[in-house]
Structures are given as C-alpha cells and as structure tokens.
Amino acid sequence: MSESLAGPGTARPEGADHPAPDTPRIPTYWLGLMAGPLSFGIAGPALILDDIARDLSTTTGTVTWGVTAFGWGIAVGTPLMAGLLRHRGARTALAGCGALVLLGALLVLTVPVLPAVIIGCALQALGTAGLTSIAMSLTNSARSMGFVTASLAVVGSTAPLVGSLVNDAINWQATLALPAISLIGLLVIIGRASTRPTSTASFDGLGAVLLTAVVTALVFVPHYPAVAGVLSVLTIAALVRHLRFKPQGFVPAVVVRSPVFLISSVLAFLLAAVNFGLMFAVPSSLSDHTSWSSGTIGGAMVWPLLLGGALSWVVVALSAKVGRQPVIITLVALSAAGVVLASASTVAILLLLAQALASIAAASGQGVFAVHSTKAVPDEERPAAIGLFNLCYLLGAAFGPAIVSLL
C-alpha cells in the first residue's frame, strides 16, 4: 500500500490510502478486535431480556432501557470521543475510552441493580463508540477500513447467539459486559498510537454541548416523536447558528459543508435504516408465514447477516479500484432490491435473501462511504468526519426499526 501524498489541510485524491497523521501502521486485525465488540452491546442482550427482568424483579420493557442507554451512549459518544481524539491525540483518547468501558463493565458485573446496569451500559457505549471511531481513523486503506466495518457487522450477526450462550454458561451480567472484549485490542494499540492532537484550536465546549443535545433529541424521536422532533429542530438550529460564529469548533464547518461528506453520510443513514428495519420486519414476516419457532427464526437470521458482514470486506476493498459512482449505484440497488423482495414475498428463502442483500449494502456502505467522507476533508479534520459519519449511520440504525413499526 502506498503512503498518502496529501499533506495536512488537503483533501486526498480518489483511491489514495489515508493513514492517520503521524501514526505508525497498526495491524488491521487489532483494529477490528477493538471496534467489533461494540456490536455485542447492541445485539447481545436480544435473547436474554426476560432473564434479566426476572432476576431484577422488573418487566422486560423496563429492562430495555439498558439497551436504549447503550444506543444513546454510542450515538453521543461517537462525536464526543472523536472530539477528544482531535484535541488530545489518539493515546489519550484511547485511555479515556478504555476507562469508560472498564468502569461500565465493572458496574454491570458487580452491581446487579437496574440503575447500575443502565449506567454501566451507557458508559460502555460511550467508550466503545470512541474506540470504534478511533479504530476507523487509524486505518490506512480501503481494505483495512473494510475489515473494521466488517468486524462490526460479523459480531453483530452472531451477537444474539453468543449473548445467549454466555448467559447460559455464566450469567446475564457477563453477556452485558461482552463489549469489554475491545480492551484486548486497545492494550495492543495504545502503545503504538500517536500522542499528537490533530487540531490546535481551543476546545469548543458550547459546540460539544449543542451537538450532544441534538443527538439526544434525535435518538428519542422514534420513542417520543412530537416532543423530541421539536427539540431536534430547535437544537439543530442552535448548532447551525453556533457554527457560523465558530467554524473551526467542535463541529468543523469544512466537514459539514463538504458535498461528498454530506452525500456519503445520507447514503449511510439510508442503507442502515433499511438494513436494521428489515432485521425487525423479516423475523415478523417469517413468524406470520411459516411454522418456524422463534429459535429457528433466530438461527435462520444469522446466515444472511453473517454473509453480509463477511462480503462487505471484499466490497470495500474493491471499491477503491472501481470508482465512486458504480459503487454507490450498486449498493443502493442492493438495498432497494432487499426492500422490494421483503415487501413482495412471503417465501422464507426470499425473505432471508432480502435481509442478506440489505446487510451487504449497509455493512459495505459503512466502510465505502466512510472512506469517501474522510477523503473529502483535510487530514486534521479526519477524526471529526469519522465521528459525524458514524453518528449518521447509527441514527439510521435507530430510525429503521421505528419506521418499520409505524408501517
């Protein structure tokens, strides 16, 4: 792989590799190990919520606040920890994220009461969101970016099954602490990471607060559409106004004004919404149109998601040689085909194929469009671009199931 020829403050040409500034090359598999376990926090508890509720003497609905807290944590933590990376360097950001993950894991492992579990899930989410963004910022080619995003998809596809097995073998607390596996990768990477910040601007505290408010409001839109929708509009307007006075603040204007970044982020949002929406719609359709048990349906859902995650690595690696437009057309077509197939068919194999197509599109899109979005901004703003891009993808993951439930 060739080194990037782009200097600081310049955008990289199409197809060029993009190492993080002043960072030695880190083996890609360690980056994948640090990023992938985030998916355990999203999907790992899916099959054990009833067990958790029974042990905590509460309802399953109440327990799902732990999952909601994890979703909020990764949405908020993604841009916040990217900001820490920009202003304090990779090593300090890794240490801070690792501390959050460790503290959260210790809480869920040692304090089996609902408030501690919710806080522990949120802390792990904040930390693993940062570790994932840092891992993506440390990649040096489309192939390594594809491996990192594929690790998220592959872990996510097997997380419900792994979570259930860990619950049976140990307990549900160990299942909730599975995101802490990312600390193994962190221990290897932290010694090789750069200590140099990518931004010399002063920290924009108000910008960080406003972005956190925007993300929090957006996360709750599917749950409380009216109130959260109004708050989303108000906080976005306040952030846009702040951006005019602080263009090099927590949300860099050069990033959000880049057409390539905006298009890449919107496409990632849409592909994620379709994929995660079908992850709820397809099992429901299989339940309605087959005699399969819930366990059989859960097992059947593993292969299309696993296939999508595995193939995405190949797709992202090849995308650097193909060009932007053909890749965009292909991924959008795969996602659209998945929607049409899932909507028009009641045959089990076709429903599973629809999920596989959407999974390939979303997992590949996360990697491909992350590469596109970071090439379009100056090197010093790459961490911010990664954080904001991942935020859009995660919001798609949150909105997809909500849209399906409305339909």
Side-chain angles (χ1 to χ4, degrees):
M1 300 177 195
S2 61
E3 291 290 342
S4 171
L5 300 178
T10 61
R12 289 165 293 279
E14 179 74 21
D17 291 345
H18 41 77
D22 303 310
T23 301
R25 296 200 172 200
I26 297 170
T28 302
Y29 49 84
W30 290 118
L31 297 176
L33 180 59
M34 189 170 75
L38 175 145
S39 293
F40 280 128
I42 299 173
L47 302 179
I48 66 167
L49 293 175
D50 290 340
D51 291 344
I52 300 174
R54 184 172 57 253
D55 279 6
L56 296 180
S57 302
T58 187
T59 65
T60 302
T62 303
V63 167
T64 57
W65 277 104
V67 180
T68 300
F70 196 92
W72 172 85
I74 57 175
V76 170
T78 295
L80 288 183
M81 297 306 156
L84 181 63
L85 173 62
R86 288 173 65 212
H87 290 280
R88 294 291 182 267
R91 191 170 298 175
T92 299
L94 286 169
C97 293
L100 288 170
V101 174
L102 181 60
L103 179 58
L106 289 175
L107 269 179
V108 299
L109 285 171
T110 60
V111 188
V113 296
L114 187 60
V117 168
I118 292 174
I119 294 171
C121 288
L123 290 174
Q124 286 189 98
L126 288 167
T128 52
L131 295 180
T132 299
S133 290
I134 294 168
M136 293 175 72
S137 73
L138 294 176
T139 59
N140 52 37
S141 67
R143 183 178 181 181
S144 58
M145 178 71 82
F147 185 86
V148 170
T149 55
S151 72
L152 289 162
V154 169
V155 172
S157 67
T158 59
L161 178 60
V162 173
S164 178
L165 293 174
V166 171
N167 178 52
D168 293 340
I170 307 175
N171 55 35
W172 58 264
Q173 292 160 274
T175 297
L176 295 184
L178 284 174
I181 292 174
S182 60
L183 295 176
I184 299 173
L186 180 148
L187 291 175
V188 174
I189 293 170
I190 193 168
R192 308 182 187 189
S194 172
T195 59
R196 180 180 298 181
T198 62
S199 174
T200 57
S202 60
F203 181 73
D204 177 19
L206 179 57
V209 170
L210 288 174
L211 183 61
T212 301
V214 169
V215 174
T216 302
L218 289 172
V219 166
F220 282 96
V221 164
H223 303 282
Y224 308 103
V227 175
V230 172
L231 291 175
S232 297
V233 172
L234 293 175
T235 52
I236 289 172
L239 181 60
V240 169
R241 185 175 184 276
H242 176 73
L243 196 60
R244 293 176 181 173
F245 295 98
K246 193 85 171 178
Q248 293 182 317
F250 191 80
V251 179
V254 69
V255 173
V256 296
R257 291 174 183 169
S258 165
V260 173
F261 172 83
L262 292 175
I263 292 171
S264 297
S265 298
V266 169
L267 288 172
F269 171 87
L270 294 174
L271 295 181
V274 169
N275 180 49
F276 286 91
L278 288 186
M279 285 173 67
F280 280 72
V282 168
S284 177
S285 188
L286 288 172
S287 178
D288 291 340
H289 299 291
T290 71
S291 58
W292 294 357
S293 66
S294 59
T296 302
I297 293 173
M301 287 292 292
V302 170
W303 77 258
L305 297 172
L306 188 60
L307 177 66
L311 287 181
S312 69
W313 184 22
V314 178
V315 174
V316 179
L318 291 176
S319 68
K321 303 176 182 178
V322 175
R324 184 176 300 155
Q325 188 171 356
V327 173
I328 291 175
I329 293 172
T330 300
L331 295 182
V332 171
L334 286 174
S335 184
V339 172
V340 171
L341 203 55
S343 303
S345 178
T346 59
V347 180
I349 188 63
L350 294 180
L351 290 170
L352 293 173
L353 177 60
Q355 180 66 77
L357 293 175
S359 177
I360 294 169
S364 302
Q366 187 184 17
V368 169
F369 297 135
V371 172
H372 290 174
S373 63
T374 55
K375 284 178 180 176
V377 302
D379 279 336
E380 62 268 21
E381 303 298 359
R382 189 174 184 231
I386 285 287
L388 293 170
F389 170 84
N390 280 337
L391 171 60
C392 292
Y393 183 87
L394 293 171
L395 288 174
F399 274 76
I403 293 170
V404 167
S405 67
L406 290 174
L407 295 175

